[in-house]
Amino acid sequence: EAGVAQSPRYKIIEKRQSVAFWCNPISGHATLYWYQQILGQGPKLLIQFQNNGVVDDSQLPKDRFSAERLKGVDSTLKIQPAKLEDSAVYLCASSLAPYNQPQHFGDGTRLSIL
Amino acid sequence: SQELEQSPQSLIVQEGKNLTINCTSSKTLYGLYWYKQKYGEGLIFLMMLQKGGEEKSHEKITAKLDEKKQQSSLHITASQPSHAGIYLCGAEPSGSARQLTFGSGTQLTVLP
């Protein structure tokens, strides 16, 4: 079974620029998550989708972050404009259902803001 | 909000030694998940615990959830260099908000 695919693996941009990340979940997984992991910390949930609807985006900084999951499969996360504090690893995960099921993670995108 | 504490923050052991990592929640949990992460990679799912007193094992790793469902331990028997990495616990709180909250992780180094 193919795992969660993410691209790009690394991205370096200057502050105030924009950036987008892409995620393709495991086939058949209805629930998709985006996490932000700052060095030395555990992942923090940014947004959770159930099919193509948003379940929870309470921790998403909506003035600069946006995410979509058109057609309930692939998802993109965008940051515009980026700030220095956005330097982190952005992880995508998917699961069969929103609870009682383990989440499976991609390798993440490491974002550096100069 | 859910508070999740992991201890120790880091651990260095000699190959062949046993070790235990703890994860403590400030609230009763619906579920507790253990993950392993290597630097530059994503999280690898290890085990999921949901019932008070539950214990699961996979190869040389055993995870337990206490009866009150507020504390979990991860035990590695006869550690190997391949066990090295960051171990993270993720808590699924009881109640309507079921999103996972993660601890800060335990960095494990196994010396050959």
PDB file of all heavy atoms in Angstrom, chain A residues 9 35 37 40 42-43 45 48 56 91 99-103 105-107 110, chain B residues 30 33 35 37 40-43 45 48 50 88 92 98-100 102-104:
ATOM      1  N   ARG A   9       9.837  18.258  -0.616  1.00  0.00           N
ATOM      2  CA  ARG A   9      10.440  17.827   0.645  1.00  0.00           C
ATOM      3  C   ARG A   9      11.056  19.003   1.392  1.00  0.00           C
ATOM      4  O   ARG A   9      11.050  19.047   2.622  1.00  0.00           O
ATOM      5  CB  ARG A   9      11.524  16.775   0.410  1.00  0.00           C
ATOM      6  CG  ARG A   9      11.020  15.398   0.058  1.00  0.00           C
ATOM      7  CD  ARG A   9      10.162  14.750   1.133  1.00  0.00           C
ATOM      8  NE  ARG A   9      10.655  14.859   2.497  1.00  0.00           N
ATOM      9  CZ  ARG A   9      11.533  14.052   3.060  1.00  0.00           C
ATOM     10  NH1 ARG A   9      12.061  13.055   2.375  1.00  0.00           N
ATOM     11  NH2 ARG A   9      11.904  14.218   4.315  1.00  0.00           N
ATOM     12  N   TYR A  35      -0.488  19.180   9.808  1.00  0.00           N
ATOM     13  CA  TYR A  35       0.141  19.522  11.082  1.00  0.00           C
ATOM     14  C   TYR A  35       1.344  20.432  10.833  1.00  0.00           C
ATOM     15  O   TYR A  35       2.007  20.339   9.796  1.00  0.00           O
ATOM     16  CB  TYR A  35       0.650  18.277  11.801  1.00  0.00           C
ATOM     17  CG  TYR A  35      -0.408  17.379  12.399  1.00  0.00           C
ATOM     18  CD1 TYR A  35      -1.003  16.381  11.644  1.00  0.00           C
ATOM     19  CD2 TYR A  35      -0.782  17.520  13.733  1.00  0.00           C
ATOM     20  CE1 TYR A  35      -1.964  15.545  12.197  1.00  0.00           C
ATOM     21  CE2 TYR A  35      -1.732  16.684  14.303  1.00  0.00           C
ATOM     22  CZ  TYR A  35      -2.317  15.694  13.530  1.00  0.00           C
ATOM     23  OH  TYR A  35      -3.258  14.866  14.101  1.00  0.00           O
ATOM     24  N   GLN A  37       5.001  21.158  12.676  1.00  0.00           N
ATOM     25  CA  GLN A  37       5.903  20.676  13.711  1.00  0.00           C
ATOM     26  C   GLN A  37       7.123  21.579  13.783  1.00  0.00           C
ATOM     27  O   GLN A  37       7.955  21.589  12.869  1.00  0.00           O
ATOM     28  CB  GLN A  37       6.331  19.227  13.463  1.00  0.00           C
ATOM     29  CG  GLN A  37       7.155  18.644  14.614  1.00  0.00           C
ATOM     30  CD  GLN A  37       7.513  17.191  14.416  1.00  0.00           C
ATOM     31  OE1 GLN A  37       7.566  16.691  13.297  1.00  0.00           O
ATOM     32  NE2 GLN A  37       7.749  16.475  15.518  1.00  0.00           N
ATOM     33  N   GLY A  40      11.812  20.429  17.945  1.00  0.00           N
ATOM     34  CA  GLY A  40      11.808  20.139  19.379  1.00  0.00           C
ATOM     35  C   GLY A  40      10.418  19.996  19.979  1.00  0.00           C
ATOM     36  O   GLY A  40      10.288  19.798  21.188  1.00  0.00           O
ATOM     37  N   GLY A  42       6.139  18.496  19.484  1.00  0.00           N
ATOM     38  CA  GLY A  42       5.276  17.554  18.791  1.00  0.00           C
ATOM     39  C   GLY A  42       4.464  18.269  17.721  1.00  0.00           C
ATOM     40  O   GLY A  42       4.358  19.496  17.724  1.00  0.00           O
ATOM     41  N   PRO A  43       3.891  17.522  16.786  1.00  0.00           N
ATOM     42  CA  PRO A  43       3.061  18.145  15.743  1.00  0.00           C
ATOM     43  C   PRO A  43       1.838  18.834  16.342  1.00  0.00           C
ATOM     44  O   PRO A  43       1.254  18.352  17.315  1.00  0.00           O
ATOM     45  CB  PRO A  43       2.628  16.953  14.876  1.00  0.00           C
ATOM     46  CG  PRO A  43       3.605  15.866  15.182  1.00  0.00           C
ATOM     47  CD  PRO A  43       4.002  16.064  16.600  1.00  0.00           C
ATOM     48  N   LEU A  45      -1.936  20.291  15.236  1.00  0.00           N
ATOM     49  CA  LEU A  45      -2.940  20.230  14.171  1.00  0.00           C
ATOM     50  C   LEU A  45      -3.285  21.622  13.663  1.00  0.00           C
ATOM     51  O   LEU A  45      -3.591  22.523  14.442  1.00  0.00           O
ATOM     52  CB  LEU A  45      -4.204  19.545  14.684  1.00  0.00           C
ATOM     53  CG  LEU A  45      -5.333  19.408  13.672  1.00  0.00           C
ATOM     54  CD1 LEU A  45      -4.971  18.418  12.568  1.00  0.00           C
ATOM     55  CD2 LEU A  45      -6.634  18.981  14.348  1.00  0.00           C
ATOM     56  N   GLN A  48      -8.227  19.833   9.751  1.00  0.00           N
ATOM     57  CA  GLN A  48      -8.669  18.465   9.516  1.00  0.00           C
ATOM     58  C   GLN A  48      -9.826  18.481   8.534  1.00  0.00           C
ATOM     59  O   GLN A  48     -10.791  19.243   8.690  1.00  0.00           O
ATOM     60  CB  GLN A  48      -9.109  17.819  10.829  1.00  0.00           C
ATOM     61  CG  GLN A  48      -9.663  16.407  10.689  1.00  0.00           C
ATOM     62  CD  GLN A  48     -10.129  15.825  12.008  1.00  0.00           C
ATOM     63  OE1 GLN A  48      -9.764  16.307  13.085  1.00  0.00           O
ATOM     64  NE2 GLN A  48     -10.948  14.790  11.948  1.00  0.00           N
ATOM     65  N   ASP A  56     -12.178  20.715  11.453  1.00  0.00           N
ATOM     66  CA  ASP A  56     -11.586  21.559  12.493  1.00  0.00           C
ATOM     67  C   ASP A  56     -10.475  22.397  11.883  1.00  0.00           C
ATOM     68  O   ASP A  56      -9.538  21.840  11.300  1.00  0.00           O
ATOM     69  CB  ASP A  56     -11.034  20.691  13.629  1.00  0.00           C
ATOM     70  CG  ASP A  56     -10.465  21.509  14.784  1.00  0.00           C
ATOM     71  OD1 ASP A  56     -10.510  22.750  14.741  1.00  0.00           O
ATOM     72  OD2 ASP A  56      -9.965  20.895  15.743  1.00  0.00           O
ATOM     73  N   LEU A  91       3.485  18.567   8.097  1.00  0.00           N
ATOM     74  CA  LEU A  91       3.178  17.159   7.932  1.00  0.00           C
ATOM     75  C   LEU A  91       1.743  16.968   7.499  1.00  0.00           C
ATOM     76  O   LEU A  91       0.838  17.612   8.033  1.00  0.00           O
ATOM     77  CB  LEU A  91       3.390  16.416   9.260  1.00  0.00           C
ATOM     78  CG  LEU A  91       4.820  16.348   9.796  1.00  0.00           C
ATOM     79  CD1 LEU A  91       4.818  16.000  11.267  1.00  0.00           C
ATOM     80  CD2 LEU A  91       5.636  15.326   9.014  1.00  0.00           C
ATOM     81  N   TYR A  99     -11.825   9.173  13.995  1.00  0.00           N
ATOM     82  CA  TYR A  99     -11.369   8.711  15.299  1.00  0.00           C
ATOM     83  C   TYR A  99     -11.403   7.188  15.345  1.00  0.00           C
ATOM     84  O   TYR A  99     -11.935   6.529  14.454  1.00  0.00           O
ATOM     85  CB  TYR A  99     -12.176   9.316  16.449  1.00  0.00           C
ATOM     86  CG  TYR A  99     -13.633   9.501  16.176  1.00  0.00           C
ATOM     87  CD1 TYR A  99     -14.536   8.470  16.299  1.00  0.00           C
ATOM     88  CD2 TYR A  99     -14.111  10.753  15.783  1.00  0.00           C
ATOM     89  CE1 TYR A  99     -15.870   8.665  16.034  1.00  0.00           C
ATOM     90  CE2 TYR A  99     -15.452  10.947  15.523  1.00  0.00           C
ATOM     91  CZ  TYR A  99     -16.327   9.901  15.653  1.00  0.00           C
ATOM     92  OH  TYR A  99     -17.646  10.091  15.392  1.00  0.00           O
ATOM     93  N   ASN A 100     -10.789   6.648  16.397  1.00  0.00           N
ATOM     94  CA  ASN A 100     -10.636   5.192  16.542  1.00  0.00           C
ATOM     95  C   ASN A 100      -9.773   4.583  15.463  1.00  0.00           C
ATOM     96  O   ASN A 100      -9.789   3.362  15.274  1.00  0.00           O
ATOM     97  CB  ASN A 100     -11.993   4.470  16.535  1.00  0.00           C
ATOM     98  CG  ASN A 100     -12.847   4.838  17.732  1.00  0.00           C
ATOM     99  OD1 ASN A 100     -12.329   5.350  18.720  1.00  0.00           O
ATOM    100  ND2 ASN A 100     -14.131   4.605  17.625  1.00  0.00           N
ATOM    101  N   GLN A 101      -9.059   5.404  14.726  1.00  0.00           N
ATOM    102  CA  GLN A 101      -8.197   4.903  13.662  1.00  0.00           C
ATOM    103  C   GLN A 101      -6.854   5.616  13.734  1.00  0.00           C
ATOM    104  O   GLN A 101      -6.803   6.824  13.945  1.00  0.00           O
ATOM    105  CB  GLN A 101      -8.819   5.171  12.290  1.00  0.00           C
ATOM    106  CG  GLN A 101     -10.068   4.379  12.002  1.00  0.00           C
ATOM    107  CD  GLN A 101      -9.771   2.917  11.755  1.00  0.00           C
ATOM    108  OE1 GLN A 101      -8.680   2.566  11.310  1.00  0.00           O
ATOM    109  NE2 GLN A 101     -10.725   2.057  12.040  1.00  0.00           N
ATOM    110  N   PRO A 102      -5.757   4.883  13.539  1.00  0.00           N
ATOM    111  CA  PRO A 102      -4.451   5.560  13.549  1.00  0.00           C
ATOM    112  C   PRO A 102      -4.296   6.474  12.345  1.00  0.00           C
ATOM    113  O   PRO A 102      -4.820   6.198  11.271  1.00  0.00           O
ATOM    114  CB  PRO A 102      -3.459   4.403  13.485  1.00  0.00           C
ATOM    115  CG  PRO A 102      -4.217   3.286  12.867  1.00  0.00           C
ATOM    116  CD  PRO A 102      -5.644   3.441  13.292  1.00  0.00           C
ATOM    117  N   GLN A 103      -3.569   7.557  12.552  1.00  0.00           N
ATOM    118  CA  GLN A 103      -3.228   8.460  11.459  1.00  0.00           C
ATOM    119  C   GLN A 103      -1.878   8.018  10.874  1.00  0.00           C
ATOM    120  O   GLN A 103      -0.973   7.650  11.601  1.00  0.00           O
ATOM    121  CB  GLN A 103      -3.121   9.897  11.967  1.00  0.00           C
ATOM    122  CG  GLN A 103      -4.439  10.427  12.510  1.00  0.00           C
ATOM    123  CD  GLN A 103      -4.315  11.830  13.047  1.00  0.00           C
ATOM    124  OE1 GLN A 103      -3.418  12.587  12.673  1.00  0.00           O
ATOM    125  NE2 GLN A 103      -5.216  12.204  13.935  1.00  0.00           N
ATOM    126  N   PHE A 105       1.302   9.177   8.489  1.00  0.00           N
ATOM    127  CA  PHE A 105       1.940  10.441   8.129  1.00  0.00           C
ATOM    128  C   PHE A 105       2.833  10.328   6.899  1.00  0.00           C
ATOM    129  O   PHE A 105       3.469   9.288   6.657  1.00  0.00           O
ATOM    130  CB  PHE A 105       2.807  10.931   9.293  1.00  0.00           C
ATOM    131  CG  PHE A 105       2.022  11.485  10.444  1.00  0.00           C
ATOM    132  CD1 PHE A 105       1.366  10.653  11.338  1.00  0.00           C
ATOM    133  CD2 PHE A 105       1.932  12.862  10.632  1.00  0.00           C
ATOM    134  CE1 PHE A 105       0.630  11.170  12.395  1.00  0.00           C
ATOM    135  CE2 PHE A 105       1.210  13.392  11.688  1.00  0.00           C
ATOM    136  CZ  PHE A 105       0.559  12.547  12.571  1.00  0.00           C
ATOM    137  N   GLY A 106       2.900  11.433   6.155  1.00  0.00           N
ATOM    138  CA  GLY A 106       3.898  11.583   5.111  1.00  0.00           C
ATOM    139  C   GLY A 106       5.218  12.031   5.725  1.00  0.00           C
ATOM    140  O   GLY A 106       5.310  12.249   6.938  1.00  0.00           O
ATOM    141  N   ASP A 107       6.253  12.182   4.874  1.00  0.00           N
ATOM    142  CA  ASP A 107       7.576  12.580   5.364  1.00  0.00           C
ATOM    143  C   ASP A 107       7.700  14.075   5.623  1.00  0.00           C
ATOM    144  O   ASP A 107       8.694  14.526   6.170  1.00  0.00           O
ATOM    145  CB  ASP A 107       8.661  12.137   4.379  1.00  0.00           C
ATOM    146  CG  ASP A 107       8.956  10.652   4.490  1.00  0.00           C
ATOM    147  OD1 ASP A 107       8.653  10.068   5.549  1.00  0.00           O
ATOM    148  OD2 ASP A 107       9.474  10.068   3.519  1.00  0.00           O
ATOM    149  N   ARG A 110       9.927  20.446   4.808  1.00  0.00           N
ATOM    150  CA  ARG A 110      10.691  21.300   5.721  1.00  0.00           C
ATOM    151  C   ARG A 110      10.770  22.701   5.121  1.00  0.00           C
ATOM    152  O   ARG A 110      11.359  22.894   4.060  1.00  0.00           O
ATOM    153  CB  ARG A 110      12.092  20.735   5.946  1.00  0.00           C
ATOM    154  CG  ARG A 110      12.931  21.522   6.946  1.00  0.00           C
ATOM    155  CD  ARG A 110      14.232  20.803   7.255  1.00  0.00           C
ATOM    156  NE  ARG A 110      13.981  19.503   7.868  1.00  0.00           N
ATOM    157  CZ  ARG A 110      13.743  19.304   9.163  1.00  0.00           C
ATOM    158  NH1 ARG A 110      13.773  20.327   9.999  1.00  0.00           N
ATOM    159  NH2 ARG A 110      13.522  18.096   9.627  1.00  0.00           N
TER     160      ARG A 110
ATOM    161  N   TYR B  30      -9.637   9.193  25.550  1.00  0.00           N
ATOM    162  CA  TYR B  30     -10.401   8.204  24.815  1.00  0.00           C
ATOM    163  C   TYR B  30      -9.456   7.199  24.179  1.00  0.00           C
ATOM    164  O   TYR B  30      -9.724   6.016  24.114  1.00  0.00           O
ATOM    165  CB  TYR B  30     -11.257   8.876  23.743  1.00  0.00           C
ATOM    166  CG  TYR B  30     -12.112   7.885  23.021  1.00  0.00           C
ATOM    167  CD1 TYR B  30     -13.342   7.506  23.540  1.00  0.00           C
ATOM    168  CD2 TYR B  30     -11.684   7.301  21.839  1.00  0.00           C
ATOM    169  CE1 TYR B  30     -14.123   6.564  22.900  1.00  0.00           C
ATOM    170  CE2 TYR B  30     -12.456   6.367  21.195  1.00  0.00           C
ATOM    171  CZ  TYR B  30     -13.674   5.997  21.719  1.00  0.00           C
ATOM    172  OH  TYR B  30     -14.438   5.067  21.092  1.00  0.00           O
ATOM    173  N   TYR B  33      -2.005   7.068  21.378  1.00  0.00           N
ATOM    174  CA  TYR B  33      -1.272   6.553  20.237  1.00  0.00           C
ATOM    175  C   TYR B  33       0.217   6.775  20.460  1.00  0.00           C
ATOM    176  O   TYR B  33       0.629   7.834  20.923  1.00  0.00           O
ATOM    177  CB  TYR B  33      -1.694   7.283  18.955  1.00  0.00           C
ATOM    178  CG  TYR B  33      -3.160   7.137  18.602  1.00  0.00           C
ATOM    179  CD1 TYR B  33      -4.142   7.824  19.304  1.00  0.00           C
ATOM    180  CD2 TYR B  33      -3.560   6.328  17.541  1.00  0.00           C
ATOM    181  CE1 TYR B  33      -5.481   7.691  18.981  1.00  0.00           C
ATOM    182  CE2 TYR B  33      -4.897   6.202  17.199  1.00  0.00           C
ATOM    183  CZ  TYR B  33      -5.852   6.885  17.928  1.00  0.00           C
ATOM    184  OH  TYR B  33      -7.177   6.754  17.598  1.00  0.00           O
ATOM    185  N   TYR B  35       3.918   6.903  18.465  1.00  0.00           N
ATOM    186  CA  TYR B  35       4.562   7.039  17.160  1.00  0.00           C
ATOM    187  C   TYR B  35       6.071   7.123  17.353  1.00  0.00           C
ATOM    188  O   TYR B  35       6.562   7.546  18.403  1.00  0.00           O
ATOM    189  CB  TYR B  35       4.100   8.316  16.452  1.00  0.00           C
ATOM    190  CG  TYR B  35       2.706   8.262  15.894  1.00  0.00           C
ATOM    191  CD1 TYR B  35       1.605   8.584  16.692  1.00  0.00           C
ATOM    192  CD2 TYR B  35       2.473   7.909  14.571  1.00  0.00           C
ATOM    193  CE1 TYR B  35       0.318   8.544  16.178  1.00  0.00           C
ATOM    194  CE2 TYR B  35       1.186   7.872  14.051  1.00  0.00           C
ATOM    195  CZ  TYR B  35       0.118   8.185  14.863  1.00  0.00           C
ATOM    196  OH  TYR B  35      -1.153   8.150  14.345  1.00  0.00           O
ATOM    197  N   GLN B  37       9.559   8.736  15.286  1.00  0.00           N
ATOM    198  CA  GLN B  37       9.959   9.654  14.218  1.00  0.00           C
ATOM    199  C   GLN B  37      11.483   9.674  14.127  1.00  0.00           C
ATOM    200  O   GLN B  37      12.162   9.832  15.140  1.00  0.00           O
ATOM    201  CB  GLN B  37       9.432  11.069  14.494  1.00  0.00           C
ATOM    202  CG  GLN B  37       9.701  12.054  13.386  1.00  0.00           C
ATOM    203  CD  GLN B  37       9.065  13.418  13.647  1.00  0.00           C
ATOM    204  OE1 GLN B  37       8.931  13.847  14.780  1.00  0.00           O
ATOM    205  NE2 GLN B  37       8.661  14.103  12.579  1.00  0.00           N
ATOM    206  N   GLY B  40      14.014  14.176  10.029  1.00  0.00           N
ATOM    207  CA  GLY B  40      13.760  14.436   8.615  1.00  0.00           C
ATOM    208  C   GLY B  40      12.685  13.557   8.003  1.00  0.00           C
ATOM    209  O   GLY B  40      12.462  13.608   6.792  1.00  0.00           O
ATOM    210  N   GLU B  41      12.016  12.771   8.834  1.00  0.00           N
ATOM    211  CA  GLU B  41      10.988  11.881   8.306  1.00  0.00           C
ATOM    212  C   GLU B  41       9.672  12.093   9.043  1.00  0.00           C
ATOM    213  O   GLU B  41       9.594  12.803  10.043  1.00  0.00           O
ATOM    214  CB  GLU B  41      11.434  10.425   8.439  1.00  0.00           C
ATOM    215  CG  GLU B  41      12.700  10.100   7.649  1.00  0.00           C
ATOM    216  CD  GLU B  41      13.138   8.661   7.827  1.00  0.00           C
ATOM    217  OE1 GLU B  41      12.361   7.851   8.361  1.00  0.00           O
ATOM    218  OE2 GLU B  41      14.281   8.361   7.425  1.00  0.00           O
ATOM    219  N   GLY B  42       8.647  11.451   8.528  1.00  0.00           N
ATOM    220  CA  GLY B  42       7.339  11.554   9.171  1.00  0.00           C
ATOM    221  C   GLY B  42       7.216  10.618  10.356  1.00  0.00           C
ATOM    222  O   GLY B  42       8.158   9.934  10.733  1.00  0.00           O
ATOM    223  N   LEU B  43       6.051  10.600  10.965  1.00  0.00           N
ATOM    224  CA  LEU B  43       5.797   9.753  12.120  1.00  0.00           C
ATOM    225  C   LEU B  43       5.361   8.362  11.667  1.00  0.00           C
ATOM    226  O   LEU B  43       4.544   8.233  10.751  1.00  0.00           O
ATOM    227  CB  LEU B  43       4.687  10.365  12.984  1.00  0.00           C
ATOM    228  CG  LEU B  43       5.058  11.515  13.911  1.00  0.00           C
ATOM    229  CD1 LEU B  43       5.482  12.753  13.162  1.00  0.00           C
ATOM    230  CD2 LEU B  43       3.896  11.811  14.856  1.00  0.00           C
ATOM    231  N   PHE B  45       3.461   4.996  12.831  1.00  0.00           N
ATOM    232  CA  PHE B  45       2.525   4.513  13.828  1.00  0.00           C
ATOM    233  C   PHE B  45       3.053   3.225  14.469  1.00  0.00           C
ATOM    234  O   PHE B  45       3.466   2.301  13.781  1.00  0.00           O
ATOM    235  CB  PHE B  45       1.165   4.262  13.176  1.00  0.00           C
ATOM    236  CG  PHE B  45       0.185   3.540  14.061  1.00  0.00           C
ATOM    237  CD1 PHE B  45      -0.354   4.168  15.172  1.00  0.00           C
ATOM    238  CD2 PHE B  45      -0.175   2.228  13.790  1.00  0.00           C
ATOM    239  CE1 PHE B  45      -1.249   3.508  15.986  1.00  0.00           C
ATOM    240  CE2 PHE B  45      -1.069   1.559  14.595  1.00  0.00           C
ATOM    241  CZ  PHE B  45      -1.611   2.188  15.694  1.00  0.00           C
ATOM    242  N   MET B  48      -1.888   1.673  19.223  1.00  0.00           N
ATOM    243  CA  MET B  48      -3.048   2.443  19.678  1.00  0.00           C
ATOM    244  C   MET B  48      -3.643   1.727  20.880  1.00  0.00           C
ATOM    245  O   MET B  48      -3.861   0.514  20.834  1.00  0.00           O
ATOM    246  CB  MET B  48      -4.080   2.521  18.553  1.00  0.00           C
ATOM    247  CG  MET B  48      -5.371   3.196  18.905  1.00  0.00           C
ATOM    248  SD  MET B  48      -6.464   3.373  17.465  1.00  0.00           S
ATOM    249  CE  MET B  48      -7.115   1.721  17.302  1.00  0.00           C
ATOM    250  N   GLN B  50      -6.828   1.911  23.817  1.00  0.00           N
ATOM    251  CA  GLN B  50      -8.099   2.571  24.089  1.00  0.00           C
ATOM    252  C   GLN B  50      -8.753   2.148  25.394  1.00  0.00           C
ATOM    253  O   GLN B  50      -9.564   2.879  25.945  1.00  0.00           O
ATOM    254  CB  GLN B  50      -9.071   2.327  22.932  1.00  0.00           C
ATOM    255  CG  GLN B  50      -8.665   3.042  21.650  1.00  0.00           C
ATOM    256  CD  GLN B  50      -9.683   2.873  20.555  1.00  0.00           C
ATOM    257  OE1 GLN B  50      -9.964   1.767  20.120  1.00  0.00           O
ATOM    258  NE2 GLN B  50     -10.248   3.972  20.097  1.00  0.00           N
ATOM    259  N   LEU B  88       6.915   9.687  20.210  1.00  0.00           N
ATOM    260  CA  LEU B  88       5.874  10.673  20.508  1.00  0.00           C
ATOM    261  C   LEU B  88       4.594   9.965  20.915  1.00  0.00           C
ATOM    262  O   LEU B  88       4.196   8.979  20.283  1.00  0.00           O
ATOM    263  CB  LEU B  88       5.567  11.521  19.267  1.00  0.00           C
ATOM    264  CG  LEU B  88       6.677  12.478  18.824  1.00  0.00           C
ATOM    265  CD1 LEU B  88       6.691  12.595  17.316  1.00  0.00           C
ATOM    266  CD2 LEU B  88       6.470  13.842  19.447  1.00  0.00           C
ATOM    267  N   GLU B  92      -5.951  11.272  22.368  1.00  0.00           N
ATOM    268  CA  GLU B  92      -7.268  11.568  21.825  1.00  0.00           C
ATOM    269  C   GLU B  92      -8.177  11.775  23.031  1.00  0.00           C
ATOM    270  O   GLU B  92      -8.491  10.817  23.738  1.00  0.00           O
ATOM    271  CB  GLU B  92      -7.745  10.397  20.979  1.00  0.00           C
ATOM    272  CG  GLU B  92      -8.983  10.655  20.162  1.00  0.00           C
ATOM    273  CD  GLU B  92      -9.331   9.461  19.273  1.00  0.00           C
ATOM    274  OE1 GLU B  92      -8.781   8.374  19.492  1.00  0.00           O
ATOM    275  OE2 GLU B  92     -10.157   9.635  18.371  1.00  0.00           O
ATOM    276  N   ARG B  98     -12.140  15.327  19.298  1.00  0.00           N
ATOM    277  CA  ARG B  98     -11.340  14.105  19.299  1.00  0.00           C
ATOM    278  C   ARG B  98      -9.998  14.260  18.605  1.00  0.00           C
ATOM    279  O   ARG B  98      -9.342  13.302  18.295  1.00  0.00           O
ATOM    280  CB  ARG B  98     -12.147  12.995  18.626  1.00  0.00           C
ATOM    281  CG  ARG B  98     -13.477  12.722  19.297  1.00  0.00           C
ATOM    282  CD  ARG B  98     -13.306  11.927  20.560  1.00  0.00           C
ATOM    283  NE  ARG B  98     -13.079  10.534  20.275  1.00  0.00           N
ATOM    284  CZ  ARG B  98     -14.053   9.642  20.113  1.00  0.00           C
ATOM    285  NH1 ARG B  98     -15.312  10.022  20.179  1.00  0.00           N
ATOM    286  NH2 ARG B  98     -13.777   8.391  19.868  1.00  0.00           N
ATOM    287  N   GLN B  99      -9.579  15.503  18.326  1.00  0.00           N
ATOM    288  CA  GLN B  99      -8.326  15.692  17.615  1.00  0.00           C
ATOM    289  C   GLN B  99      -7.148  15.300  18.502  1.00  0.00           C
ATOM    290  O   GLN B  99      -7.156  15.479  19.711  1.00  0.00           O
ATOM    291  CB  GLN B  99      -8.182  17.150  17.182  1.00  0.00           C
ATOM    292  CG  GLN B  99      -9.046  17.521  16.001  1.00  0.00           C
ATOM    293  CD  GLN B  99     -10.509  17.633  16.361  1.00  0.00           C
ATOM    294  OE1 GLN B  99     -10.844  17.922  17.493  1.00  0.00           O
ATOM    295  NE2 GLN B  99     -11.368  17.378  15.400  1.00  0.00           N
ATOM    296  N   LEU B 100      -6.109  14.753  17.871  1.00  0.00           N
ATOM    297  CA  LEU B 100      -4.920  14.327  18.593  1.00  0.00           C
ATOM    298  C   LEU B 100      -4.098  15.511  19.062  1.00  0.00           C
ATOM    299  O   LEU B 100      -3.877  16.460  18.326  1.00  0.00           O
ATOM    300  CB  LEU B 100      -4.029  13.465  17.704  1.00  0.00           C
ATOM    301  CG  LEU B 100      -4.374  11.998  17.490  1.00  0.00           C
ATOM    302  CD1 LEU B 100      -3.216  11.307  16.768  1.00  0.00           C
ATOM    303  CD2 LEU B 100      -4.656  11.301  18.799  1.00  0.00           C
ATOM    304  N   PHE B 102      -0.242  16.025  20.671  1.00  0.00           N
ATOM    305  CA  PHE B 102       0.997  15.286  20.835  1.00  0.00           C
ATOM    306  C   PHE B 102       1.843  15.834  21.965  1.00  0.00           C
ATOM    307  O   PHE B 102       1.843  17.041  22.254  1.00  0.00           O
ATOM    308  CB  PHE B 102       1.809  15.337  19.538  1.00  0.00           C
ATOM    309  CG  PHE B 102       1.273  14.452  18.455  1.00  0.00           C
ATOM    310  CD1 PHE B 102       0.351  14.934  17.546  1.00  0.00           C
ATOM    311  CD2 PHE B 102       1.679  13.124  18.355  1.00  0.00           C
ATOM    312  CE1 PHE B 102      -0.163  14.112  16.540  1.00  0.00           C
ATOM    313  CE2 PHE B 102       1.188  12.297  17.354  1.00  0.00           C
ATOM    314  CZ  PHE B 102       0.263  12.789  16.456  1.00  0.00           C
ATOM    315  N   GLY B 103       2.592  14.930  22.598  1.00  0.00           N
ATOM    316  CA  GLY B 103       3.628  15.345  23.530  1.00  0.00           C
ATOM    317  C   GLY B 103       4.816  15.882  22.759  1.00  0.00           C
ATOM    318  O   GLY B 103       4.853  15.835  21.524  1.00  0.00           O
ATOM    319  N   SER B 104       5.826  16.379  23.477  1.00  0.00           N
ATOM    320  CA  SER B 104       7.008  16.957  22.840  1.00  0.00           C
ATOM    321  C   SER B 104       8.019  15.917  22.398  1.00  0.00           C
ATOM    322  O   SER B 104       8.983  16.247  21.711  1.00  0.00           O
ATOM    323  CB  SER B 104       7.698  17.937  23.790  1.00  0.00           C
ATOM    324  OG  SER B 104       6.856  19.038  24.036  1.00  0.00           O
TER     325      SER B 104
END
